[in-house]
Amino acid sequence: MSNATQLIHSIPVDPLTGSISVPIYQTSTYVQEAPGVNKGYDYARSNNPTRETLENIIAKLEGGVKASAFASGLAAIDAVVKLLQSGDEILAVDDIYGGAFRQFTHIYAKFGIKVNYVDTTGVANVLDAITPQTRLIWLETPTNPTLKISDIAAIAKIAKQHNVLLCVDNTFASPALQQPIKLGADIVVHSATKYLGGHSDLIAGLVISATQELGEQIKFIQNACGAILSPHDSWLVIRGIETLHLRVQQHCRNAQIVAEFLETHPAIDKVYYPGLKTHLNHDIAAKQQSGFGGIISFTLKTDTEAAAKDVVTNTQYFKLAESLGGVKSLLCHPATMTHKSIPAEKRHAAGVQDSLIRLSIGLEDAADLVNDIDQALAKINITAGDLKIAAFQ
Ligand SMILES: *Cc1c(COP(=O)(O)O)cnc(C)c1O
């Protein structure tokens, strides 16, 4: 059975009514026959059939054993960190998602959890940075926004040798392109807000565990701390997952065309897309992913905020917004949006230059997307021109 068929048929028909769509159980509690005698459900924070269906689907899709659904990607990350204790250390990818960095730094540091940030594209760097206190390795691959790739299988081997858990944030690739548990990871997290939901209409997070034991620990944290996904949003994620493979194929196809166009454009300096042979980690991406995803970043030869602004305010189809993974193409300017709080020096060192623009390639026609970027690139210098005139006056 192909992946797409398996995926579509892992979504069950309702055994009670035959409903082909998963029912939304909008309830807080369940009537019991006698104290403790129930149909497997007693209170909706602990369990809900709609949420449970989503959890079973994503566990299968990621090749894991057990999954838990949370109210956001950050709530999912939070649940994984709660496996640790004060004094434990996390070894994390250096250009980690900004929200995870904020959570680690401003919430968990005060509970005595330390984080060492490492360039995990070099496997040797990971080995060097492990200490006796390291309990968790945290990868994102590809990363945001420069799409660095880390070798999941090689790092999983190191993690096992040192008895350290490996968690991979698989938001950018999605299980349609990459299944970290099959490469040796212990835990996968998702912001289901992005490709899994797929329609820019919800906030959700998922944790998938490779073992029953880890899955039960996460489930305990989910119930004990309470950041559960609602029945309606669970249903929306299920509906998104139904077309995941189809959407991701088109995201990849469009992104490859746009990236190759950008690479030849005279106004552009660097293009970051793992599907390009010129990408630093193209070979690892080709080895561990079955496609290169829908996110592209690029910098301009005129490396200024003003030039980037000319581009991001002059597109028609690419809408200026944070987030990614939806049907409509989006673009953003990390230096003044997602990465604004990072000091310029640190930001530049991470490759987030002043002119860097990130694209989330949607499901429009690729030719329209290319033309849209092309005409916006022709408008560079509008602001720069204004500035020059202003300076002259
Ligand atoms: C968006 C995102 C998150 C956070 O998810 P929310 O659903 O916004 O809480 C975590 N990791 C990555 C890679 C993301 O892109």
Side-chain angles (χ1 to χ4, degrees), residues 71-75 77 97 99-100 140 142 144 169-172 189-194 202-205 323-324 358:
S72 69
L74 279 175
I77 292 170
Y97 174 71
E140 246 172 70
N144 174 35
D169 181 334
N170 203 27
T171 300
F172 269 41
V189 301
H190 275 284
S191 168
T193 311
K194 318 292 168 56
L202 61 92
I203 300 283
S323 199
L324 55 109
R358 188 190 73 189

Side-chain angles (χ1 to χ4, degrees), residues 153-197:
I155 294 171
K157 216 179 270 173
I158 294 175
K160 291 229 157 44
Q161 281 162 1
H162 290 81
N163 203 19
V164 169
L165 291 172
L166 172 62
C167 178
V168 179
D169 181 334
N170 203 27
T171 300
F172 269 41
S174 94
L177 300 180
Q178 173 172 279
Q179 293 166 304
I181 288 174
K182 292 191 178 162
L183 299 169
D186 301 289
I187 304 168
V188 165
V189 301
H190 275 284
S191 168
T193 311
K194 318 292 168 56
Y195 287 104
L196 290 170

Side-chain angles (χ1 to χ4, degrees), residues 6 25 104 120 131 140 151 165 181 209 226 237 240 269 303 340 346 357-358 380:
Q6 191 180 9
Y25 283 90
F104 293 170
T120 55
T131 75
E140 246 172 70
D151 187 334
L165 291 172
I181 288 174
S209 303
V237 178
D269 186 21
D303 186 30
K340 194 177 165 184
K346 213 165 161 236
I357 294 169
R358 188 190 73 189
I380 294 176

Side-chain angles (χ1 to χ4, degrees), residues 311-355:
V311 177
V312 300
T313 55
N314 281 298
T315 51
Q316 182 189 352
Y317 300 126
F318 284 91
K319 303 296 183 193
L320 182 62
E322 295 188 10
S323 199
L324 55 109
V327 165
K328 284 184 182 160
S329 289
L330 301 178
L331 87 181
C332 78
H333 181 233
T336 55
M337 294 168 73
T338 49
H339 290 60
K340 194 177 165 184
S341 59
I342 302 173
E345 217 167 281
K346 213 165 161 236
R347 184 161 53 70
H348 291 159
V352 184
Q353 285 167 243
D354 294 345
S355 70

Side-chain angles (χ1 to χ4, degrees), residues 42-47 51 68 70 217-228:
D42 53 9
Y43 187 60
R45 176 175 12 81
S46 314
N47 228 333
R51 196 178 81 220
S68 300
F70 292 88
Q217 286 173 30
I218 296 288
K219 195 102 220 142
F220 182 84
I221 292 165
Q222 182 196 37
N223 184 47
C225 299
I228 50 159

